[in-house]
């Protein structure tokens, strides 16, 4: 198991660096992100290129790298919080200064396209980063509670229940329901992220090594055949049976397209989950959803399908 580097815990009054390493952003989103950060008791420092636009990206690769490196190097900044995902983070990986990140370990928080940064930094540095809300997310009490607990309070263990709000929503939107495909209890490091990004990195030096891990995956706005393709690619590249468990989040708007002949999302997932003997679940409270919990990458945890909980077995911050 990789030797983990845990970033210092966040404290009230700390400065959070706001950057856009992927998709371009807007003044309205920046205002919302600043409100979010300040409402949590932190100060904000914005990246020099936060408002840059290059196609659908937040500036050129060089500009986005410059902001990310500047925030890691700045002693005043204690956490780095991307304003959104979008696309483009994968283009930064070969230019990242991993030695700089190793010298200045800090909280890096986000999901979706930020998955590329999480996986590469884990692979090259061993730094615990955090798969959770982006800075412009609309956060619920649930997502705020579990995010702050993981970032600010280094407890030896911490149990995260699934969101009651998602269970309520499942009454009218079935894909919000928790499904246990294979029951059981599994322990291992947490690893994964956005399915398309995890699949895109397979076969590269930054690939997700999920052997012995609780592999978590989520997706949004993708047809079932694409989910199937990416799941197949990941299984061929690494073998899902080598994971300790497979945890699929809530994949919003991933059903068949209008009047298209297609498998359902659940049927598609079951092609990959049912053959496994390891614990396998879907509908857990991660993904492009309001009520999501924060997962520290690389930290050991236990997935319990009966209790429908994830328990962190060590602190994620120092």
């Amino acid at each position: 198991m990789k030797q983990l580097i845990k970033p210092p815990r966040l404290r009230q009054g700390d400065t959070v660096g706001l950057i856009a390493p992927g998709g371009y952003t807007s003044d309205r989103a920046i205002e919302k992100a600043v409100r979010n950060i300040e409402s949590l008791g932190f100060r904000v420092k914005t990246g020099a290129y936060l408002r840059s636009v290059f196609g659908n990206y937040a500036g050129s690769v060089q500009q986005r790298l410059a902001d990310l490196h500047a925030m890691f190097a700045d002693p005043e900044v204690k956490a780095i919080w991307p304003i959104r995902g979008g696309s483009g983070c994968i283009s930064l990986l070969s230019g990242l200064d991993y030695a700089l990140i190793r010298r200045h370990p800090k909280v890096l928080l986000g999901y979706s396209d930020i998955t590329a940064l999480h996986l590469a930094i884990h692979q090259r540095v061993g730094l615990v980063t955090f798969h959770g809300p982006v800075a412009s997310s609309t956060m619920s009490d649930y997502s705020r509670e579990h995010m702050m607990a993981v970032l600010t309070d280094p407890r030896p263990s911490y149990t995260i229940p699934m969101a009651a709000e998602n269970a309520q929503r499942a009454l009218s939107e079935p894909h919000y329901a928790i499904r246990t495909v294979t029951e059981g209890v599994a322990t291992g490091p947490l690893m994964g992220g956005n399915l398309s990004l995890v699949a895109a990195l397979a076969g590269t030096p930054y690939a997700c090594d999920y052997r012995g891990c609780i592999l978590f995956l989520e997706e949004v706005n993708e047809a079932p055949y694409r989910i199937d393709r990416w799941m197949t690619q990941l299984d061929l590249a690494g073998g899902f049976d080598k994971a300790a468990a497979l945890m699929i989040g809530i994949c919003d708007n991933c059903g068949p397209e209008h009047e298209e002949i297609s498998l359902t999302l659940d049927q598609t997932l079951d092609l990959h989950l049912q053959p496994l003997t390891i614990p396998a679940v879907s509908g857990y409270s991660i993904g492009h959803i309001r009520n999501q919990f924060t997962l520290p990458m690389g930290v050991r945890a236990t997935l319990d399908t009966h209790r429908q909980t994830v328990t962190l077995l060590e602190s994620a911050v120092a």
Side-chain angles (χ1 to χ4, degrees), residues 2-177:
K2 187 182 291 290
Q3 182 63 45
L4 292 180
I5 299 172
K6 296 181 180 181
R9 57 168 284 201
L10 293 188
R11 292 177 164 83
Q12 291 293 293
D14 278 350
T15 296
V16 172
L18 181 64
I19 61 169
Y24 72 92
T25 190
S26 65
D27 285 341
R28 186 175 173 186
I30 292 170
E31 288 165 12
K32 182 180 180 184
V34 168
R35 283 198 306 273
N36 276 345
I37 295 168
E38 290 178 344
S39 73
L40 295 169
F42 304 125
R43 293 197 291 263
V44 184
K45 185 165 195 170
T46 55
Y49 298 107
L50 179 61
R51 288 177 169 82
S52 297
V53 178
F54 178 67
N56 66 322
Y57 305 120
S60 66
V61 169
Q62 291 73 23
Q63 288 172 322
R64 288 178 281 140
L65 278 172
D67 268 4
L68 190 57
H69 288 153
M71 292 302 181
F72 270 109
D74 188 337
E76 182 190 7
V77 173
K78 306 302 181 190
I80 302 167
W81 203 358
I83 191 164
R84 62 167 295 197
S87 60
C89 286
I90 197 169
S91 300
L92 308 186
L93 305 188
S94 62
L96 274 181
D97 186 341
Y98 296 100
L100 170 74
I101 296 169
R102 190 176 292 108
R103 289 196 304 273
H104 305 284
K106 305 181 179 189
V107 166
L108 173 68
L109 173 66
Y111 75 115
S112 195
D113 198 55
I114 310 304
T115 294
L117 299 179
H118 291 318
L119 292 176
I121 289 171
H122 177 79
Q123 189 66 257
R124 291 299 179 90
V125 180
L127 175 64
V128 175
T129 59
F130 298 84
H131 182 277
V134 289
S136 63
S137 289
T138 301
M139 282 185 286
S140 66
D141 291 342
Y142 172 89
S143 57
R144 191 180 295 110
E145 174 193 343
H146 295 299
M147 181 184 79
M148 292 297 282
V150 171
L151 297 179
T152 67
D153 186 4
R155 308 181 211 180
S157 80
Y158 180 69
T159 297
I160 306 166
M162 298 306 112
E165 296 89 342
N166 292 336
Q168 185 64 33
R169 192 163 171 180
L171 299 177
S172 58
E173 297 177 71
H175 67 283
Y176 271 78

Side-chain angles (χ1 to χ4, degrees), residues 17 25 30 47 55 59 76 95 98 104 113 155 169 186-187 197 199 207 211 225 230 235 283 287-288 291 313:
T25 190
I30 292 170
E76 182 190 7
Y98 296 100
H104 305 284
D113 198 55
R155 308 181 211 180
R169 192 163 171 180
T187 296
L197 268 296
R211 290 172 296 178
Y225 77 88
W230 290 323
D235 196 11
H288 288 65
N291 293 286
L313 303 177

